[in-house]
């Protein structure tokens, strides 16, 4: 049985994180993985949905507006689909994965950090909160990948 990989992203705009998530999903499918992708509504959601034509299972979540609902939906999906590895992108997805797998150490969790919190959020209180959430999540991941040297340094 192939590894069951879930790619999850908390945004479906048209940025680099969305494009890389799409391409990673395609590549892992070509390598024989059982690939799943979870994403919210947004301009890029239609692109994610086209991955179903390649045999990639899709799950639409309402991460921003219904976080708790998404949390329970994701927990159930992970269990029902036998997910063995999760690769998340962006802070809300990281937190969702962390909480959904909090007591399940058998699932391998990795994340890709695409931007610096200090550059992305101008409100100091919100920036501090995001920093704390990110640190809480990163400590529970098996690997944290960064997409640039700037992100790695900070």
């Amino acid at each position: 049985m192939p590894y069951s990989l879930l790619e999850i992203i908390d945004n479906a705009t048209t940025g680099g994180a969305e494009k890389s998530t799409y391409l990673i999903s395609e590549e892992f499918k070509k390598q024989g993985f059982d690939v799943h992708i979870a994403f919210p509504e947004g301009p890029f959601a239609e692109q994610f949905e086209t991955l179903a034509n390649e045999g990639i299972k899709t799950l639409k979540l309402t991460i921003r507006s219904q976080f708790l609902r998404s949390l329970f939906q994701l927990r159930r999906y992970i269990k029902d689909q036998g997910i063995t590895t999760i690769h998340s992108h962006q802070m809300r997805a990281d937190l969702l994965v962390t909480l959904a797998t909090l007591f399940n150490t058998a699932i391998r969790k990795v994340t890709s950090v695409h931007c610096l919190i200090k550059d992305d959020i101008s409100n100091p209180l919100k920036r501090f909160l995001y920093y704390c959430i990110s640190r809480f999540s990163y400590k529970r991941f098996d690997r944290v990948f960064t997409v640039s040297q700037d992100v790695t340094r900070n």
Side-chain angles (χ1 to χ4, degrees):
M1 179 176 194
Y3 286 106
S4 188
L5 170 70
L6 172 64
E7 289 285 334
I8 181 169
I9 189 163
D10 69 18
N11 208 349
T13 57
T14 54
E18 293 79 8
K19 291 174 187 169
S20 66
T21 302
Y22 183 93
L23 294 171
I24 288 168
S25 298
E26 281 186 318
E27 188 57 37
F28 276 113
K29 183 65 180 175
K30 288 177 190 171
Q31 292 181 24
F33 283 76
D34 176 27
V35 181
H36 306 250
I37 185 167
F39 56 91
E41 281 290 341
F44 207 81
E46 284 184 29
Q47 288 292 101
F48 287 138
E49 288 170 347
T50 64
L51 291 170
N53 298 331
E54 299 176 36
I56 295 172
K57 296 173 190 89
T58 61
L59 172 65
K60 200 175 285 188
L61 298 171
T62 51
I63 298 171
R64 289 176 183 257
S65 62
Q66 298 176 328
F67 188 85
L68 282 177
R69 180 173 186 239
S70 294
L71 173 61
F72 292 114
Q73 189 178 1
L74 182 63
R75 280 180 54 110
R76 170 63 55 198
Y77 189 84
I78 290 167
K79 183 178 180 184
D80 291 349
Q81 297 296 322
I83 302 297
T84 58
T85 304
I86 301 174
H87 180 195
S88 69
H89 305 260
Q90 301 172 323
M91 194 271 310
R92 283 182 190 88
D94 292 344
L95 181 60
L96 193 64
V97 167
T98 299
L99 296 175
T101 61
L102 200 54
F103 302 108
N104 188 340
T105 57
I107 297 173
R108 183 170 171 79
K109 296 176 291 290
V110 298
T111 185
S112 292
V113 181
H114 294 264
C115 63
L116 298 172
I117 293 171
K118 69 178 186 164
D119 294 341
D120 210 26
I121 301 166
S122 58
N123 180 306
L125 184 58
K126 193 173 182 180
R127 186 172 49 238
F128 177 72
L129 178 62
Y130 275 44
Y131 173 81
C132 291
I133 290 169
S134 294
R135 294 318 252 177
F136 172 78
S137 295
Y138 296 162
K139 288 180 180 184
R140 285 151 184 85
F141 278 81
D142 297 294
R143 296 294 297 264
V144 176
F145 298 102
T146 56
V147 298
S148 72
Q149 291 296 338
D150 267 354
V151 175
T152 303
R153 280 191 294 273
N154 294 293

